[in-house]
Amino acid sequence: MKNDKKQNQYRINEQIRVRDVRIVGESGSTVMPTRQALDMARQQGVDLVEISPNANPPVCRLIDYSKFLYQQKKRQKEMKAKQVKVEVKEIRFGPQTDEHDYQFKLKHAKEFLEEGNKVRAYVFFRGRSILFKEQGEVLLLRFANDLEEVGKVESMPSLEGKKMFLYLAPKKAGAQKKSQQARDREAAEAEQKETSKQQKPQNAEIDVDTPANGGLLANAKISADALKKAHRGRRIEERAARPVYA
């Protein structure tokens, strides 16, 4: 049924019953009698296809109709593949949501936004809990602030009946702005790394052969030379002190 509808979408050849048509092609456009256009189509072995029936005169092309339908189908499939389906995910809070539940829902909301979906967060006020609507508004504003890196606020918290809604949309990839909290955290980590480097003991290599560096081997050589000189001087003194026999 779908193929039949698509084939009936355009009038071709003898189905075109107007007196004149405008033939468009690579070389431009020409207005001619429909009968002449049909003769040209037969000579070229193609079809006369009405592209724009509402124009005056109707616009037609000399093309292979089967190939034309295939190209149209292929183009529509490509356009459909490029379309991103955006879903709206809901996150529900109570006016007194505990921290563990809040962090759990924050994690899921971040995943939804990173996947390209929108998030509709709301606080549901049951019975007399409507008295805590300011507390619910604070919770939603905190929620928006914690998701600043991946989502942008489409509308601020607003009360609709017993529900207070907040709408968030995903940020485009590569255009995410870091929150002040994230920037402060990165700065603290960088400072901590720099401090660790400065406190790390420097294991400098000791050149034992260089006297200027105070090397152990160099000091040993100096001591040995001094000892040799002392022994040599003592032997000279002993020789001088020996008695001389005639």
Side-chain angles (χ1 to χ4, degrees), residues 21-25 28-32 37 40 48 58-62:
V21 292
R22 181 181 296 276
I23 304 297
V24 295
S29 65
T30 305
V31 177
M32 65 178 66
M40 288 179 60
L48 180 66
V59 178
C60 298
R61 291 182 63 187
L62 299 174

Side-chain angles (χ1 to χ4, degrees), residues 154-172:
E154 282 195 330
S155 65
M156 297 300 287
S158 60
L159 187 64
E160 299 177 16
K162 293 185 178 181
K163 296 179 181 179
M164 182 174 286
F165 290 95
L166 170 74
Y167 291 88
L168 297 169
K171 283 188 175 180
K172 292 182 180 180

Side-chain angles (χ1 to χ4, degrees), residues 36-239:
Q36 182 181 348
L38 285 169
D39 291 339
M40 288 179 60
R42 292 191 191 97
Q43 292 173 6
Q44 297 180 20
V46 294
D47 299 298
L48 180 66
V49 181
E50 189 180 54
I51 304 299
S52 180
N54 297 325
N56 187 21
V59 178
C60 298
R61 291 182 63 187
L62 299 174
I63 51 177
D64 185 333
Y65 187 54
S66 299
K67 186 177 180 180
F68 172 74
L69 288 179
Y70 171 77
Q71 290 175 344
Q72 289 285 100
K73 185 178 179 181
K74 184 179 178 182
R75 190 177 296 112
Q76 289 176 1
K77 186 181 266 188
E78 290 175 352
M79 290 177 64
K80 189 176 180 181
K82 289 179 181 179
Q83 290 177 349
V84 179
K85 187 177 181 181
V86 178
E87 296 182 8
V88 179
K89 303 290 186 177
E90 283 195 343
I91 302 291
R92 173 177 170 171
F93 293 101
Q96 296 178 336
T97 301
D98 60 39
E99 184 63 23
H100 176 75
D101 192 27
Y102 174 83
Q103 293 297 333
F104 178 77
K105 293 179 178 180
L106 179 69
K107 178 183 176 183
H108 280 284
K110 185 176 181 181
E111 291 173 357
F112 293 149
L113 291 167
E114 288 175 342
E115 291 171 359
N117 298 308
K118 292 186 176 183
V119 170
R120 179 172 64 181
Y122 68 93
V123 180
F124 180 71
F125 301 98
R126 190 189 302 274
R128 293 176 62 84
S129 64
I130 193 69
L131 299 174
F132 301 98
K133 61 180 181 180
E134 290 82 5
Q135 189 172 341
E137 183 178 4
V138 170
L139 186 146
L140 289 176
L141 291 174
R142 176 193 173 190
F143 188 69
N145 184 66
D146 290 342
L147 293 171
E148 185 182 6
E149 292 185 22
V150 293
K152 57 183 178 181
V153 177
E154 282 195 330
S155 65
M156 297 300 287
S158 60
L159 187 64
E160 299 177 16
K162 293 185 178 181
K163 296 179 181 179
M164 182 174 286
F165 290 95
L166 170 74
Y167 291 88
L168 297 169
K171 283 188 175 180
K172 292 182 180 180
Q176 295 181 1
K177 182 181 178 181
K178 294 182 179 178
S179 64
Q180 185 62 43
Q181 185 179 2
R183 291 195 293 269
D184 293 343
R185 184 171 61 252
E186 290 180 357
E189 289 175 356
E191 186 177 352
Q192 187 177 1
K193 287 181 181 179
E194 187 66 25
T195 304
S196 300
K197 286 182 181 180
Q198 293 177 359
Q199 293 178 351
K200 189 176 180 181
Q202 296 180 354
N203 298 325
E205 295 183 359
I206 299 175
D207 188 356
V208 296
D209 294 330
T210 307
N213 291 339
L216 298 177
L217 185 58
N219 292 336
K221 287 182 178 180
I222 294 173
S223 300
D225 291 342
L227 188 61
K228 286 181 182 179
K229 288 181 181 180
H231 282 301
R232 192 180 300 113
R234 191 177 299 115
R235 284 198 298 271
I236 293 172
E237 291 177 357
E238 289 176 354
R239 289 176 184 172

